[in-house]
Every structure is written in structure tokens, then in C-alpha cells.
């Protein structure tokens, strides 16, 4: 594999002075369930803070008002539920929303069950770029033997336990750089597709498509707190819907996400870093990499 860790980061082009919001992509976040309404909201807010022109959240009707209440800058769309999470009848409305988006994030707070597994298995075949996280990854793991080649670019963002479910076995040493790299690359290759990327989270996050890889150096232990992964999902979504290739989007997002964590820790101390604080630090992180 080719190591691009020390090469220049890919960057988005400067904004067109005559551009409008439609030029910077339509991102769709699919997630949420009873008790987990904050997850898709965090992803959507991070997506907006990372340059997406328009962001929508498709979420179970039972939590839509909660999701909508976090931020007035994204739109919300109700999907059929059983009072707690999505059901099979959500598929028609979801298909329509996916057809209108430039990229999607699937999984934050979405819950588990056969209906969720069915929806994620179908979404795997969609042509638009997508980042898959959290219970979206668990749904893919449950249907692993049935997954064909993805319909479009995919970025999977597992932590060690989600990675073990996808792979079918845990890492012998989840903190061993070489083992993490080889296992992540093997998973990326096994999932197929020319733009399937695995971003294996943790200290020194690994980003690989099975042919190239980068090891991220930003971030700190203060980021080991709830919702931080949802923020990363939103940053990746923003880059995908602005047209960045999957590997480049994952690599740049990992760097900026970790940098935002470092800036938040410098201001608050590692013990007090939270996912909302990370979102607040994203503008400064973006200024740093863009200057």
C-alpha cells in the first residue's frame, strides 16, 4: 500500500464569489430513535459547519420535533416509526429523500432491528456517496454475507467494537498500528467498489481504501466522549456532498475533526471536551487548514 500520511492534505477549492447554497451540496442525515435524537442533530450541525450548502435530517416521526429543536438551519423530514425507531414503511419516503441528496450519512442514533438492517442493506446499493456510522455499521455487519458491491463511494467509520462486528473477529491488539492498518485495508478491499474507505477510529485513526492509507495525528483523549463520532460523520458528509472523493474526504475530515478536538481541549481542558464544543471549534479548525 501507498503511505500518504505525510503528503499535503486535500483541500476544498475556495468558494466562488457568485456561488449559492445549491453549489455546495445537499447533505442528508438518516438517523435518530427514541432517546437518541441528539446523534443526527450533531451530524447535521457539523455538516453545516463544514461547508455544506443544504442539510436535511430524515428521522422517525416520534423524535422529529426534538431533532428540529437543536438547530434552525437544517430541515427535518419525518419517517414512519413504531413509536421508538424506523420501520419498513419508511422505505418509500427515504428512497425519495436519497434521490434528492448529493450525499448521505446513515446510522447516527438509528437503533437496531430487522427493519433497520433492511433499510441499510438497500441504502448500500444507492449510487450517491455515503458515510455509514454507528448502528448503520451494525446493520451492515448483520447483513455482511448478503452485501454486494456498493452502489457508490462509501466511507465506513467504525470504532474497535463496530470494526470487530464488520470483520467477524476482534483485533488481537486494537492499539497496534500495523495490525489496525492491515485489518482496515483488508476490510476495505473485501467490501468492494473503487471508492470504499474504512476509517478506523481511535488514537492515530487509520484511513484506507485498501490501496492507500494515512494515519491521522490530530486529536486527544478528551474526545473519548459521547457524540464526537457523530460530529466526524457530519464533517465527512459535508466534504462528500461538496464533491470530494471518498478517501480524500475521510482523510481531511479526520484531520480537521481531531484539530477541532485539540482546539476545544486547549480552551476547556480534556476532561470538559464535549461534542457541541467540538462543533464550536470547527470554524477555527477549518481556518487553520485553509490558511
Amino acid at each position: 500500500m501507498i503511505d500518504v500520511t505525510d503528503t499535503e492534505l486535500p483541500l476544498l477549492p475556495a468558494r466562488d464569489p457568485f456561488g449559492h447554497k445549491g453549489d455546495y451540496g445537499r447533505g442528508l442525515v438518516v438517523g435518530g430513535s427514541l432517546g437518541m435524537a441528539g446523534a443526527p442533530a450533531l451530524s447535521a450541525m457539523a455538516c453545516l459547519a463544514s461547508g455544506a450548502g443544504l442539510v436535511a435530517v430524515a428521522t422517525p416521526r416520534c423524535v422529529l420535533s426534538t431533532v428540529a429543536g437543536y438547530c434552525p438551519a437544517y430541515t427535518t423530514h419525518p419517517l414512519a416509526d413504531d413509536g421508538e425507531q424506523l420501520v419498513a414503511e419508511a422505505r418509500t419516503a427515504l428512497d425519495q429523500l436519497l434521490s434528492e441528496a448529493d450525499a448521505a450519512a446513515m446510522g447516527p442514533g438509528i437503533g437496531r432491528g430487522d427493519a433497520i438492517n433492511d433499510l441499510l442493506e438497500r441504502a448500500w446499493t444507492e449510487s450517491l456517496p455515503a458515510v455509514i456510522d454507528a448502528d448503520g455499521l451494525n446493520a451492515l455487519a448483520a447483513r455482511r454475507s448478503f452485501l454486494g458491491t456498493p452502489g457508490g463511494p462509501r466511507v465506513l467509520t467504525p470504532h474497535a467494537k463496530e470494526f470487530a462486528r464488520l470483520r467477524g473477529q476482534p483485533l488481537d491488539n486494537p492499539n497496534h498500528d500495523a495490525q489496525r492498518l492491515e485489518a482496515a485495508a483488508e476490510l476495505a478491499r473485501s467490501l468492494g467498489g473503487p471508492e470504499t474507505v474504512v476509517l478506523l477510529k481511535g488514537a492515530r485513526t487509520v484511513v484506507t481504501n485498501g490501496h492507500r492509507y494515512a494515519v491521522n495525528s490530530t486529536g486527544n483523549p478528551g474526545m473519548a466522549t459521547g457524540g464526537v463520532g457523530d460530529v466526524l460523520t457530519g464533517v465527512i458528509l459535508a466534504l462528500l456532498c461538496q464533491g470530494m472523493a471518498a478517501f480524500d474526504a475521510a482523510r481531511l475530515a479526520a484531520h480537521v475533526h481531531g484539530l477541532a478536538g485539540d482546539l476545544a481541549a486547549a480552551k476547556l481542558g480534556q476532561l470538559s471536551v464535549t461534542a457541541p464544543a467540538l462543533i464550536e471549534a470547527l470554524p477555527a479548525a477549518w481556518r487553520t487548514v485553509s490558511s
Side-chain angles (χ1 to χ4, degrees), residues 38-60:
L42 287 167
S43 295
M45 288 187 285
C47 186
L48 285 166
S50 298
L54 293 161
V55 180
V57 182
T59 196

Side-chain angles (χ1 to χ4, degrees), residues 52-81:
L54 293 161
V55 180
V57 182
T59 196
R61 187 179 300 274
C62 64
V63 297
L64 184 135
S65 60
T66 304
V67 174
Y70 282 106
C71 177
Y74 53 69
T75 59
T76 50
H77 302 270
L79 297 176
D81 65 42

Side-chain angles (χ1 to χ4, degrees), residues 137 155-164 166-167 171 173-185 187 197-208 214-216 232 236 250 254:
L137 296 169
V155 179
L156 280 63
T157 60
H159 56 54
K161 289 186 177 179
E162 292 161 344
F163 183 78
L166 281 165
R167 184 175 178 239
L171 293 167
N173 182 351
N175 296 319
H176 189 280
D177 280 358
Q179 185 182 143
R180 283 164 52 83
L181 172 59
E182 290 302 322
L187 178 61
V197 176
V198 172
L199 185 156
L200 179 52
K201 294 187 285 197
R204 293 175 57 79
T205 289
V206 169
V207 178
T208 180
V215 179
N216 188 57
L232 174 62
I236 297 170

Side-chain angles (χ1 to χ4, degrees), residues 89-291:
E89 289 75 15
R91 174 174 160 176
T92 300
L94 180 56
D95 283 349
Q96 179 61 37
L97 290 167
L98 288 168
S99 73
E100 297 167 356
D102 293 308
M106 310 284 295
I110 204 170
R112 301 193 192 187
D114 287 341
I116 304 299
N117 297 345
D118 289 344
L119 289 171
L120 265 294
E121 183 181 353
R122 176 170 175 77
W124 184 252
T125 67
E126 294 284 343
S127 61
L128 82 168
V131 50
I132 303 174
D133 186 32
D135 277 334
L137 296 169
N138 293 324
L140 293 184
R143 297 296 171 87
R144 183 72 170 84
S145 60
F146 301 103
L147 294 179
T149 301
R154 297 288 180 266
V155 179
L156 280 63
T157 60
H159 56 54
K161 289 186 177 179
E162 292 161 344
F163 183 78
R165 296 183 192 113
L166 281 165
R167 184 175 178 239
Q169 66 182 96
L171 293 167
D172 295 331
N173 182 351
N175 296 319
H176 189 280
D177 280 358
Q179 185 182 143
R180 283 164 52 83
L181 172 59
E182 290 302 322
E186 179 185 353
L187 178 61
R189 289 190 293 263
S190 72
L191 289 166
E195 284 196 83
T196 300
V197 176
V198 172
L199 185 156
L200 179 52
K201 294 187 285 197
R204 293 175 57 79
T205 289
V206 169
V207 178
T208 180
N209 61 2
H211 308 287
R212 291 182 290 162
Y213 74 90
V215 179
N216 188 57
S217 60
T218 60
N220 63 84
M223 298 170 69
T225 186
V228 165
D230 301 313
V231 175
L232 174 62
T233 294
V235 178
I236 297 170
L237 174 60
L239 299 179
L240 291 176
C241 72
Q242 290 174 86
M244 188 168 276
F247 181 83
D248 289 345
R251 183 183 169 210
L252 178 58
H255 177 87
V256 171
H257 178 257
L259 180 56
D262 290 340
L263 293 170
K267 178 181 178 181
L268 304 169
Q270 289 186 5
L271 291 179
S272 298
V273 171
T274 63
L278 216 65
I279 294 173
E280 290 179 8
L282 278 173
W286 280 115
R287 284 197 300 272
T288 299
V289 300
S290 301
S291 60

